Amino acid sequence: ILKDFNNIYPVLKELLHGEINHPIKVKYKNKVLEVYTIINLKSERLTSVIRDITERENAETKLVESEERYKRITTGLTDYLYTVIIKDGKVVKTIHNEICLTITGYSSIEFDSDPYLWINMVVQQDREWVNKNVLKILEGKNVPPIEHRIIRKDGIIRWVSDTAILKHDSNGILVSYDGVIKDITERKQVEKELLESERKFKTLFEAANDAIMILNGRIFIDCNTKTESIFCCSKKDIIGHSPIELSPQYQPNGRLSADKAKEKIHAALS
């Protein structure tokens, strides 16, 4: 009956000597069976209880495969994932994936051993904002992603975004939430450089000794101070209007200003 008698024979031998008192698994055709044997030495009887555990074994196999697949997926991610377990409105456990080491410099073991590490690594000026956000989450409120700074284990300051995804039970009670932390330091640096560039442009724009007017299509959207001085008008008289509206009907050479304006706009946009 058994597929491989040579493998099962040592087990039968131990059974006969009363050395096994726990269930054993055997395969029969496409089934997985659990055999629990009771030996009565006085009556010299051997009683076996056999259960079909094929479905349970298949489910366990699929679970292991699913966990391995999830681990392979998360290992390839650059975002730091964590799960916070809630009970009676309080945090009872937080699980961190391996990417926490890459982003924070701290391992999941270090986070487990220090329940306040997550807030202690936040830059002092950002802690109040982060704490308020967490309190809203514990109240069961959906909150937008937040951006704040952390101090890595090596002392380097990094910008991160933290997105929380809440999970409620059938009664609407918060039972956990998943978090995704992304390192956005490079994006923040680009934004800073862009703001600095815009500031420098604005300074040059306003300090220029020539009239500078900015068109969006056929409408003026901005002008510098010198423009107001030269044309003896204010910004509100220029912004929102087209060059044609601010020109006389004819140019000195007798040409229609509308035709000249269209020509200049077309040349500038082409």
Side-chain angles (χ1 to χ4, degrees):
I1 296 176
L2 298 174
K3 284 190 174 182
D4 193 341
F5 183 79
N6 289 330
N7 289 337
I8 202 65
Y9 177 74
V11 177
L12 293 174
K13 189 175 179 181
E14 290 182 36
L15 281 172
L16 293 175
H17 285 82
E19 295 174 1
I20 292 182
N21 57 3
H22 56 80
I24 61 171
K25 294 178 185 178
V26 296
K27 288 185 177 180
Y28 172 63
K29 294 185 177 180
N30 295 322
K31 301 285 187 179
V32 179
L33 307 175
E34 185 178 66
V35 182
Y36 191 87
T37 303
I38 303 172
I39 300 175
N40 190 324
L41 296 178
K42 291 183 178 180
S43 61
E44 297 182 349
R45 289 184 177 180
L46 184 149
T47 304
S48 293
V49 178
I50 302 176
R51 291 193 304 167
D52 186 344
I53 60 170
T54 306
E55 289 187 4
R56 190 186 78 188
E57 285 289 304
N58 289 340
E60 290 177 353
T61 300
K62 289 180 180 179
L63 178 61
V64 171
E65 290 175 351
S66 177
E67 289 175 345
E68 290 178 349
R69 180 172 175 272
Y70 174 78
K71 188 174 182 180
R72 288 196 301 270
I73 292 173
T74 54
T75 299
L77 295 176
T78 57
D79 297 342
Y80 158 23
L81 310 179
Y82 65 90
T83 300
V84 179
I85 311 300
I86 311 294
K87 187 175 182 181
D88 299 326
K90 296 180 179 179
V91 176
V92 295
K93 186 178 181 181
T94 304
I95 304 167
H96 306 261
N97 81 337
E98 295 83 355
I99 308 300
C100 64
L101 180 63
T102 303
I103 292 183
T104 70
Y106 294 99
S107 67
S108 57
I109 296 175
E110 288 175 295
F111 277 103
D112 291 340
S113 61
D114 184 355
Y116 298 104
L117 178 57
W118 69 274
I119 189 64
N120 288 336
M121 70 178 181
V122 175
V123 170
Q124 185 69 41
Q125 296 90 328
D126 297 348
R127 288 184 190 176
E128 183 179 357
W129 161 239
V130 173
N131 270 321
K132 285 181 179 179
N133 193 70
V134 171
L135 288 176
K136 288 181 181 178
I137 293 173
L138 294 179
E139 291 172 0
K141 298 177 181 177
N142 287 308
V143 296
I146 64 168
E147 297 178 355
H148 62 86
R149 293 162 294 173
I150 63 169
I151 304 175
R152 283 174 44 90
K153 188 176 182 179
D154 55 15
I156 296 175
I157 295 177
R158 306 288 290 182
W159 274 95
V160 298
S161 69
D162 190 350
T163 305
I165 304 166
L166 281 60
K167 293 183 180 180
H168 300 84
D169 63 13
S170 57
N171 296 317
I173 298 173
L174 180 67
V175 293
S176 69
Y177 67 90
D178 296 321
V180 181
I181 294 181
K182 181 189 294 288
D183 189 325
I184 59 171
T185 306
E186 290 184 4
R187 194 198 82 197
K188 282 289 184 178
Q189 184 61 34
V190 170
E191 290 176 354
K192 181 180 178 181
E193 292 172 358
L194 180 59
L195 287 173
E196 180 63 19
S197 176
E198 290 177 348
R199 186 191 65 79
K200 290 179 179 178
F201 168 77
K202 193 67 176 178
T203 300
L204 294 172
F205 179 72
E206 291 297 342
N209 199 39
D210 297 315
I212 301 176
M213 308 167 79
I214 300 177
L215 275 170
N216 183 7
R218 298 179 182 274
I219 302 297
F220 290 118
I221 60 172
D222 199 3
C223 68
N224 65 350
T225 305
K226 195 64 177 179
T227 302
E228 296 177 284
S229 174
I230 291 176
F231 289 94
C232 299
C233 60
S234 65
K235 275 191 176 184
K236 67 179 182 179
D237 298 320
I238 297 174
I239 294 174
H241 296 281
S242 69
I244 298 173
E245 294 177 77
L246 302 177
S247 304
Q249 185 177 4
Y250 294 98
Q251 293 293 300
N253 62 1
R255 188 179 181 188
L256 284 170
S257 293
D259 292 340
K260 186 66 175 179
K262 289 177 183 178
E263 179 184 304
K264 290 293 185 180
I265 292 172
H266 178 74
L269 297 177
S270 61

